[in-house]
Amino acid sequence: TIPLKDGIIAYDNIFQGCKKLKHVHLVEEAVLHETIAALQLEEWKIVMKDKIGVINQILPTTPAGGFGDDAGGKSQAMQSWIRSVLGKIVQYKAEHRRYLNEAASTLQTYLPNDILLENVLPFVELPSYTFQG
C-alpha cells in the first residue's frame, strides 16, 4: 500500500530484487474512487479506472532487477504510473470545477443564490480531498 503522491518513490532501485511485487493498493483508494464517481463525464470515469488499474497489469511482467547496477523497472513503472494518475485526476478536477462554475453562473440568473448554494451545488461538488501532483 502506497500513497498517491509524486516523489514518494525517490530511487530507481528501491524495489530492486522485489520479484513478488505484482500488485499495488493506494492509501487514498476510497477517496479516489469517491472522487471518480463524482466526476460529471462518463469518459473521465472510464479513463481514471483504467489508469488506476494499469499498474497491476504492468508490475507482474516488469523486471525486478538483480544485484549491482540492475535496478529493474518496478520503481520507474510505479513513478510513471503515480504521475499519470495524479496528472489526470488533477486535470479532471480542474475541468469539473470549470464546468461547475459555468453552470452556477447560468443558474444564478434563474435561482435565488441561497437555493443555488444550499440545494444545488452541494450535489455536484467533488470530495474535498486534494491530490498533489
Side-chain angles (χ1 to χ4, degrees):
T1 302
I2 62 169
L4 187 62
K5 182 178 179 185
D6 194 19
I8 194 73
I9 300 171
Y11 302 102
D12 289 343
N13 64 349
I14 196 110
F15 298 114
Q16 184 175 7
C18 296
K19 294 177 182 171
K20 292 185 179 181
L21 178 59
K22 297 179 181 192
H23 191 80
V24 173
H25 290 283
L26 292 170
V27 172
E28 308 89 344
E29 195 160 347
V31 73
L32 182 59
H33 286 292
E34 182 182 343
T35 301
I36 291 167
L39 292 173
Q40 294 301 307
L41 297 180
E42 194 63 32
E43 177 185 338
W44 294 353
K45 295 175 187 182
I46 292 168
V47 168
M48 286 308 304
K49 287 177 184 175
D50 288 347
K51 279 199 172 292
I52 292 168
V54 77
I55 192 64
N56 295 321
Q57 296 169 357
I58 292 171
L59 280 178
T61 59
T62 302
F67 296 101
D69 292 337
D70 183 11
K74 292 191 185 272
S75 297
Q76 293 160 332
M78 288 176 59
Q79 290 167 342
S80 176
W81 170 71
I82 288 170
R83 286 184 190 115
S84 175
V85 171
L86 278 174
K88 206 44 108 169
I89 195 65
V90 168
Q91 173 193 345
Y92 287 161
K93 282 186 75 167
E95 288 183 42
H96 180 92
R97 170 58 56 199
R98 187 174 53 83
Y99 290 145
L100 186 60
N101 288 342
E102 287 175 16
S105 293
T106 301
L107 288 171
Q108 278 180 325
T109 60
Y110 301 104
L111 295 173
N113 204 34
D114 61 328
I115 291 176
L116 180 65
L117 293 175
E118 295 173 18
N119 299 320
V120 177
L121 294 182
F123 293 101
V124 291
E125 284 285 342
L126 292 175
S128 61
Y129 188 86
T130 302
F131 297 95
Q132 299 175 357

